[in-house]
Amino acid sequence: MTGWRRLTSPRPYELLASVAAGALLMSGCGVIPGASGGSGEAVTVMTWAPDTTAADSVNMAGMTAMAKTYARWVNEKGGIGGHELRVLTCNEQDTAAGASKCARRAADEDVAAVVGSYSRYGRAFLAPLEAAGIPYIGGYGASADEFTSYLSYPVNGGQPALVAGNGEQLAASCARVSLVRPDTLVGDTMPGLLDTGLSRSDRPASYDISTTEGATSYETEASRALRQAGDGCVTAVLGSGTETFFDSFRRLEPEDSEVRISSVLGSVGQGLIDRTGGADSPFEGALVTGWYPESGDARWNEMREVIRKYAFGDNRIDPSDAGVQTTWIAFTALKAVVEAMDRPDITAGGISVSLNRGTEVDTGGLTPVLRWRFQDMVGTAAYGRIVNGRVTFQVVRDGRLTAERKGFVDVTETLVDSRSRG
């Protein structure tokens, strides 16, 4: 993840060139064949995500696999508003160079949008997209730059909303909170976000413990977190290092400890819970803040059915994974805007103009109705593009992430207050 990026004034504009079908077929990015489209030209988009097992890297291959699955499904139904959907995929490799390469390829291919993608390197990919006028719809929210770029259309509030929400969730039951977070620019913003959430219930500020990402042991940090939390709560937001931290934590925790553990989606998810023992996992009872309804909610049924019928057993796609869910929602947004445009040619500039003018996206309750007009946005320099400041409170029960509280919790005010205080 990168540091905060200067807010750029909106400059939507129309691209002059249409997508060239022949060039797209020659691409090495994995074009997905679909059913023949309707009267309109094909809509070509790109989805990228890291697909790597390198040390300290993130693997989000389920996102590109979900994009391909969505294309198969929608094309069998006749495409989007009479347009065949073509999806190019790119392995971002969880590096700045990889992110930049994918973005330049998207520009070379004249894609109409980048949809449902993941990258921690916003500065590397947003500059090429902005130069080409390509909108970035429904990124995962792993880069702070996604919440400032005038061509970014996020579907969630990213990690800032999760951390702010985690503070509000913990405030209900924790007299004291220890926060373990990375010693990075993004990590430095977390105490303010968490503490603002805690202050909603007049809780004291958290005890802040910064540490190195990707360590092999966190015994020192775990000992400090236990000591400072007392009988309160310990929350860790360390990405892939969260599992390692709580492994160290459980080995040091006294048998009679009343400390409750917590985290946010992306640092703890259903896959991690399953991998570490399910109902016998050390995460049993943990409080987790997420963006969307829990994976067992009926609102995910359509996505699950699409995966069952069109993923052809692709085991990279886990319907409980937040990346897969974000990609589904992002393509739902793309479908809404293309249908609203109702034009024979769909260009990158046309999509941006339609979104800026207020095209509404109904996600079937997976998020609030999404709209990206200026008045719909949070309006702070750090989070200027956030239009969905709502989160969900979840808890691990019997090895499953389930709803701790029904419905969404709006943390928009917490986001605004955390910046004004900082």
Side-chain angles (χ1 to χ4, degrees):
M1 299 178 73
T2 59
W4 302 121
R5 188 172 179 272
R6 181 175 60 85
L7 182 64
T8 309
S9 300
R11 296 185 282 117
Y13 57 90
E14 191 90 29
L15 290 180
L16 298 178
S18 297
V19 176
L24 292 168
L25 290 171
M26 294 172 65
S27 166
C29 276
V31 178
I32 302 172
S36 58
S39 58
E41 295 183 3
V43 177
T44 302
V45 301
M46 178 178 281
T47 299
W48 63 56
D51 184 359
T52 175
T53 57
D56 300 327
S57 64
V58 177
N59 190 316
M60 301 295 287
M63 296 179 72
T64 49
M66 183 70 240
K68 295 178 180 180
T69 300
Y70 187 96
R72 294 187 192 104
W73 169 63
V74 80
N75 285 333
E76 187 172 286
K77 295 171 59 181
I80 300 177
H83 300 267
E84 178 188 354
L85 175 64
R86 297 179 180 174
V87 176
L88 311 180
T89 62
C90 192
N91 182 1
E92 182 264 3
Q93 299 179 327
D94 201 27
T95 65
S100 178
K101 183 177 180 180
C102 287
R104 293 196 307 271
R105 177 169 284 176
D108 290 343
E109 300 286 359
D110 287 336
V111 302
V114 174
V115 184
S117 297
Y118 180 102
S119 178
R120 297 191 287 174
Y121 303 98
R123 291 183 180 178
F125 70 77
L126 279 165
L129 293 186
E130 289 174 350
I134 298 172
Y136 187 71
I137 302 174
Y140 185 86
S143 163
D145 301 80
E146 296 175 47
F147 304 114
T148 58
S149 172
Y150 66 94
L151 281 176
S152 178
Y153 301 88
V155 299
N156 60 51
Q159 188 164 264
L162 294 180
V163 177
N166 193 231
E168 293 194 26
Q169 184 177 15
L170 295 178
S173 56
C174 307
R176 289 288 302 175
V177 175
S178 292
L179 167 66
V180 185
R181 50 85 174 181
D183 185 13
T184 62
L185 288 174
V186 171
D188 289 344
T189 69
M190 293 182 187
L193 289 162
L194 188 83
D195 293 347
T196 305
L198 288 169
S199 71
R200 297 289 177 210
S201 298
D202 296 322
R203 296 294 192 184
S206 61
Y207 184 77
D208 179 27
I209 303 171
S210 61
T211 187
T212 304
E213 289 184 291
T216 56
S217 175
Y218 290 100
E219 288 189 3
T220 299
E221 293 83 357
S223 177
R224 291 172 59 196
L226 272 167
R227 184 172 62 253
Q228 294 298 327
D231 290 335
C233 298
V234 173
T235 189
V237 185
L238 292 169
S240 60
T242 304
E243 178 181 2
T244 305
F245 169 79
F246 279 118
D247 181 62
S248 297
F249 179 87
R250 287 304 192 195
R251 283 189 272 109
L252 293 174
E253 185 182 22
E255 288 187 9
D256 59 350
S257 173
E258 297 293 331
V259 174
R260 195 163 192 183
I261 65 172
S262 177
S263 190
V264 300
L265 210 65
S267 288
V268 171
Q270 189 60 54
L272 174 59
I273 296 165
D274 293 342
R275 190 170 68 250
T276 55
D280 296 323
S281 166
F283 296 101
E284 182 68 19
L287 300 172
V288 180
T289 310
W291 292 308
Y292 315 124
E294 69 276 12
S295 61
D297 191 283
R299 284 168 285 189
W300 293 112
N301 285 352
E302 184 177 40
M303 182 191 74
R304 289 181 175 277
E305 183 64 13
V306 169
I307 293 171
R308 187 185 69 81
K309 291 183 63 176
Y310 295 92
F312 306 139
D314 192 333
N315 60 14
R316 294 174 299 172
I317 304 178
D318 178 359
S320 68
D321 178 74
V324 169
Q325 294 171 350
T326 298
T327 300
W328 172 263
I329 293 170
F331 273 92
T332 301
L334 175 73
K335 183 174 184 290
V337 70
V338 171
E339 290 176 345
M341 290 171 70
D342 191 23
R343 292 172 51 176
D345 60 323
I346 303 297
T347 66
I351 288 176
S352 294
V353 168
S354 182
L355 289 169
N356 293 336
R357 287 178 177 173
T359 296
E360 291 188 351
V361 177
D362 185 346
T363 63
L366 296 172
T367 67
V369 172
L370 301 173
R371 191 164 53 181
W372 291 270
R373 301 172 304 170
F374 179 77
Q375 57 265 43
D376 299 314
M377 298 178 185
V378 169
T380 68
Y383 314 122
R385 300 295 293 181
I386 292 180
V387 299
N388 175 15
R390 298 182 185 179
V391 298
T392 57
F393 292 170
Q394 301 177 32
V395 61
V396 182
R397 291 194 183 104
D398 297 323
R400 302 297 302 177
L401 275 167
T402 60
E404 185 203 25
R405 172 173 167 177
K406 290 184 178 180
F408 293 99
V409 179
D410 192 343
V411 298
T412 300
E413 188 176 344
T414 302
L415 290 170
V416 173
D417 286 352
S418 73
R419 299 306 296 173
S420 63
R421 294 181 185 186

